[in-house]
């Protein structure tokens, strides 16, 4: 899991350097493999501002742009980008530089008799996304001539965290922020999930059927339209880049962003391309096949869970969507899926198909059903901020008995006996409350602990004892040999008659 420090600081106050924080996390039981500095490859690129645009004298499909680089310096660049216009802030690669998305050094060249002294970059040529339809449009307030890495705050320290198989809650920036907050004894903040809804209910647009509650204890479908087009906002592109992903499109970027931020994988279906405008969560049927988003046709069977429409499979549950209902620039309306799938089933399907994704890595560890609705609301908030409308409510299918809160009774004297410590019950309660556990003292000194929904790994008293030891500090737990009471050894003499 890659966690940029700048993103982490949005949820918890951290003054420590990345290396110091890595040591604190290691002491509390989280393995930080390394700290990487990203964004330095953009230091050679410059910010430019287009001053003048003329048609190419010999090639009408091309334009000749005069670009200011600050301090009176200008360069001339030949480009075919349709969005080239005066006043546009652009990323400029001068001769000798090597943009991350081009693979070769830039050279000054003549194009049909006109000298091109630099390259004006698209998002793909900059190595930040897939958009190559025009120039990458930088924020208007950046200064011409500035270093691109500094002007756009591309550089950051990134923590590479090795997440244990039972800690699905740490497969997100917010999850790691909770761990940092607990280790440092500070509060954490949660992202905004508010948005306005239209009068039309989502149930009028789409339907959901779940045939196997065991395989899918929760499925949340939300309907949205008037989707943003073009490139994603810069803040979104930057966060994805620093976390190790490239920008694709606004809708796809939002689903990836929410997965990285809060840990809930999402998938968007083109609602108009779903037969019957509904989804059915079911086991695959013999002979069914599915073309996934990577372009490969895959045979599925009854041991695999699929997301189907009224006729055929449209996605592999918890792993990858199908190409037939993929969101495109022409998509008018989406059905946004946020679900909870059985971990063992996702793991088995991913292994059999040789298809492991960022989504399956999270589902395989086990996700809480409560996270689905929250992740769906976060994605709706972000798309609503970009101008999309959100249908009222959602289509929520929740298995009976999955909405209860889990509780554990903790005996402080037993925790001290197990750990070899002499901690007061109030101190234990303080440690547990840092983790989002609601602690209520009970008669007799016991602690009634209501577990947070995101910590599925906490099941019993010994799990909480381990959390107490972790936050107290393993180095502060005394090393003692175990004690036991030995029974006297009795030797019986057998008398053999003569």
């Amino acid at each position: 899991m890659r966690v940029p420090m700048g993103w982490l600081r949005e949820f918890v106050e951290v003054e420590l350097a990345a290396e110091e924080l890595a040591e604190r996390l290691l002491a509390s039981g989280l393995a930080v493999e390394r700290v990487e500095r990203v964004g330095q490859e953009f230091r050679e690129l410059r910010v430019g501002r287009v001053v003048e645009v003329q048609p190419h004298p010999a090639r009408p499909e091309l334009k000749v742009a005069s670009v200011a680089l600050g301090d009176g310096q200008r360069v001339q660049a030949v480009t075919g980008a349709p969005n080239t216009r005066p006043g546009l802030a652009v990323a400029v690669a001068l001769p000798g530089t090597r943009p991350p998305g081009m693979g070769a050094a830039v050279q000054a060249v003549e194009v049909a008799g006109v000298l091109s002294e630099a390259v004006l970059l698209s998002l793909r040529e900059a190595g930040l996304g897939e958009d190559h339809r025009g120039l990458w449009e930088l924020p208007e307030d950046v200064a011409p001539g500035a270093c691109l890495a500094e002007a756009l705050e591309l550089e950051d320290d990134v923590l590479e965290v090795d997440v244990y198989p039972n800690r699905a809650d740490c497969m997100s920036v917010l999850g790691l922020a909770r761990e940092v907050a607990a280790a440092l004894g500070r509060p954490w903040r949660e992202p905004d999930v508010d948005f306005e809804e239209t009068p039309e209910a989502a149930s009028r647009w789409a339907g959901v059927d779940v045939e196997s509650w065991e395989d899918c204890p929760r499925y949340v479908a939300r309907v949205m339209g008037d989707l943003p087009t073009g490139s994603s906002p810069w803040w979104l592109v930057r966060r994805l880049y620093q976390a190790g992903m490239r920008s694709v499109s606004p809708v796809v970027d939002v689903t990836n962003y929410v997965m990285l931020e809060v840990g809930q994988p999402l998938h968007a279906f083109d609602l108009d391309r779903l037969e019957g405008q509904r989804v059915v969560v079911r086991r695959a049927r013999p002979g069914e096949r599915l073309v996934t988003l990577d372009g490969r046709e895959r045979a599925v069977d009854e041991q695999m869970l699929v997301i189907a429409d009224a006729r055929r499979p449209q996605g592999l549950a918890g792993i990858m969507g199908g190409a037939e209902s993929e969101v495109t620039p022409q998509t008018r309306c989406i059905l946004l899926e946020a679900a909870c799938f059985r971990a063992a089933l996702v793991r088995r399907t991913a292994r059999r198909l040789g298809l492991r994704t960022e989504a399956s890595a999270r589902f395989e560890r086990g996700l809480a059903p409560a996270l689905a609705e929250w992740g769906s609301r976060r994605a709706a908030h972000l798309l609503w901020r970009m101008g999309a409308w959100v249908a009222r409510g959602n289509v929520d299918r929740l298995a009976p008995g999955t909405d209860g809160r889990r509780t554990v009774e903790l005996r402080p004297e037993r925790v001290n006996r197990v750990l070899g410590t002499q901690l007061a019950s109030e101190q234990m309660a303080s440690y547990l409350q840092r983790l989002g556990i609601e602690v209520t003292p009970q008669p007799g000194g016991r602690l009634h602990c209501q577990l947070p929904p995101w910590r599925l790994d906490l099941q019993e008293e010994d799990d909480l004892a381990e959390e107490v030891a972790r936050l107290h500090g393993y180095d502060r737990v005394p090393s003692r040999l175990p004690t036991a009471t030995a029974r006297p050894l009795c030797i019986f003499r057998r008398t053999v008659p003569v």
Side-chain angles (χ1 to χ4, degrees):
M1 175 70 191
R2 292 172 57 87
V3 181
M5 289 292 294
W7 200 349
L8 184 70
R9 290 189 175 104
E10 291 184 5
F11 302 118
V12 61
E13 292 184 9
V14 182
E15 296 85 11
L16 300 176
E19 291 77 9
E20 294 177 283
L21 181 61
E23 292 180 4
R24 293 292 295 271
L25 289 174
L26 187 61
S28 68
L30 278 179
V32 179
E33 293 185 335
R34 63 173 180 153
V35 177
E36 178 187 358
R37 184 73 178 176
V38 300
Q40 294 176 314
E41 63 270 34
F42 295 96
R43 296 197 67 83
E44 292 183 333
L45 304 181
R46 305 274 295 279
V47 174
R49 189 171 300 276
V50 178
V51 178
E52 185 181 3
V53 180
Q54 298 290 339
H56 192 288
R59 301 275 298 275
E61 73 275 13
L62 299 178
K63 302 173 184 178
V64 182
S66 177
V67 182
L69 294 178
D71 295 330
Q73 182 184 2
R74 289 194 184 188
V75 293
Q76 179 175 277
V78 177
T79 175
N83 61 335
T84 307
R85 62 185 185 274
L88 180 66
V90 293
V92 181
L94 298 174
T97 62
R98 191 181 297 269
M102 291 186 63
V106 171
Q107 297 180 356
V109 296
E110 280 197 7
V111 181
V114 177
L115 179 64
S116 183
E117 302 173 294
V119 173
L120 309 184
L121 302 175
S122 67
L123 204 61
R124 183 193 297 175
E125 290 166 334
L128 293 167
E130 301 299 330
D131 194 349
H132 194 55
R133 293 171 294 178
L135 298 180
W136 174 18
E137 300 191 13
L138 304 184
E140 295 182 359
D141 58 350
V142 293
C147 165
L148 190 70
E150 294 177 359
L152 300 183
E153 299 179 345
L154 276 162
E155 292 184 278
D156 199 3
D157 291 321
V158 176
L159 304 177
E160 289 263 8
V161 184
D162 184 14
V163 180
Y164 301 128
N166 66 331
R167 292 300 304 273
D169 62 295
C170 288
M171 290 288 289
S172 67
V173 178
L174 179 59
L176 195 69
R178 292 192 189 106
E179 288 294 306
V180 171
L184 302 180
R186 295 177 182 174
W188 72 77
R189 299 177 289 272
E190 294 185 342
D192 193 356
V193 295
D194 294 331
F195 54 88
E196 295 179 4
E197 297 179 325
T198 65
E200 296 81 11
S203 56
R204 291 186 55 189
W205 294 76
V208 175
D209 294 324
V210 178
E211 293 187 358
S212 174
W213 291 118
E214 180 186 0
D215 297 331
C216 179
R218 190 169 199 183
Y219 194 98
V220 178
R222 199 175 295 275
V223 175
M224 281 169 273
D226 283 348
L227 306 169
T229 57
S231 299
S232 295
W234 167 241
W235 62 265
L236 180 53
V237 175
R238 182 183 64 203
R239 284 284 182 252
L240 292 177
Y241 155 73
Q242 291 171 341
M245 284 189 170
R246 290 164 65 95
S247 172
V248 178
S249 68
V251 172
V252 175
D253 290 352
V254 164
T255 60
N256 286 332
Y257 183 90
V258 173
M259 176 182 66
L260 295 173
E261 183 183 57
V262 304
Q264 174 63 54
L266 304 166
H267 181 69
F269 296 94
D270 186 325
L271 186 57
D272 293 330
R273 298 168 74 180
L274 294 176
E275 188 77 22
Q277 291 194 307
R278 67 187 306 101
V279 293
V280 183
V281 186
R282 60 171 174 82
R283 292 292 185 99
R285 294 165 185 155
E288 286 188 321
R289 304 184 73 84
L290 167 69
V291 178
T292 47
L293 287 173
D294 58 1
R296 292 186 56 185
E297 186 178 44
R298 303 178 186 275
V300 292
D301 57 41
E302 60 274 13
Q303 297 302 314
M304 301 178 184
L305 190 69
V306 297
I307 311 299
D309 59 13
R311 280 205 311 161
R312 54 192 174 274
Q314 295 291 345
L316 290 168
I319 302 176
M320 186 177 285
E324 188 174 337
S325 54
E326 178 182 8
V327 173
T328 68
Q330 289 73 43
T331 298
R332 298 181 305 163
C333 220
I334 61 169
L335 183 150
L336 182 70
E337 166 192 283
C340 176
F341 301 116
R342 184 158 61 95
L345 186 60
V346 174
R347 188 183 309 115
R348 184 169 64 240
T349 302
R351 184 167 56 246
R352 287 184 58 192
L353 294 176
L355 181 62
R356 195 165 187 268
T357 62
E358 288 284 348
S360 68
R362 288 160 175 80
F363 281 117
E364 288 175 24
R365 286 172 164 80
L367 296 180
L371 184 58
E373 164 64 8
W374 203 66
S376 175
R377 290 188 61 83
R378 177 58 174 163
H381 166 82
L382 294 175
L383 287 170
W384 172 73
R385 277 177 51 187
M386 297 180 200
W389 57 257
V390 184
R392 177 169 53 86
N394 56 52
V395 185
D396 192 350
R397 297 290 180 262
L398 180 65
T402 58
D403 55 347
R405 294 290 299 272
R406 299 169 299 120
T407 61
V408 170
E409 296 292 323
L410 187 71
R411 295 166 290 176
E413 71 280 359
R414 183 178 182 278
V415 173
N416 279 326
R417 188 168 64 250
V418 169
L419 300 181
T421 55
Q422 295 181 347
L423 301 175
S425 61
E426 293 80 9
Q427 190 170 3
M428 294 184 191
S430 175
Y431 287 146
L432 296 176
Q433 287 167 343
R434 291 188 195 177
L435 298 168
I437 299 172
E438 298 178 15
V439 181
T440 306
Q442 299 294 312
R446 296 192 177 198
L447 300 178
H448 179 80
C449 302
Q450 192 169 44
L451 307 178
W454 59 84
R455 288 298 301 271
L456 296 183
D457 59 305
L458 302 180
Q459 299 289 337
E460 56 189 28
E461 189 177 28
D462 286 347
D463 295 329
L464 298 187
E466 183 178 359
E467 295 300 295
V468 169
R470 193 164 68 87
L471 291 185
H472 183 63
Y474 291 125
D475 57 330
R476 298 171 63 189
V477 175
S479 300
R480 297 179 181 174
L481 291 174
T483 59
T485 303
R487 293 184 177 182
L489 180 63
C490 299
I491 301 176
F492 296 92
R493 180 179 295 175
R494 183 176 179 182
T495 304
V496 180
V498 178

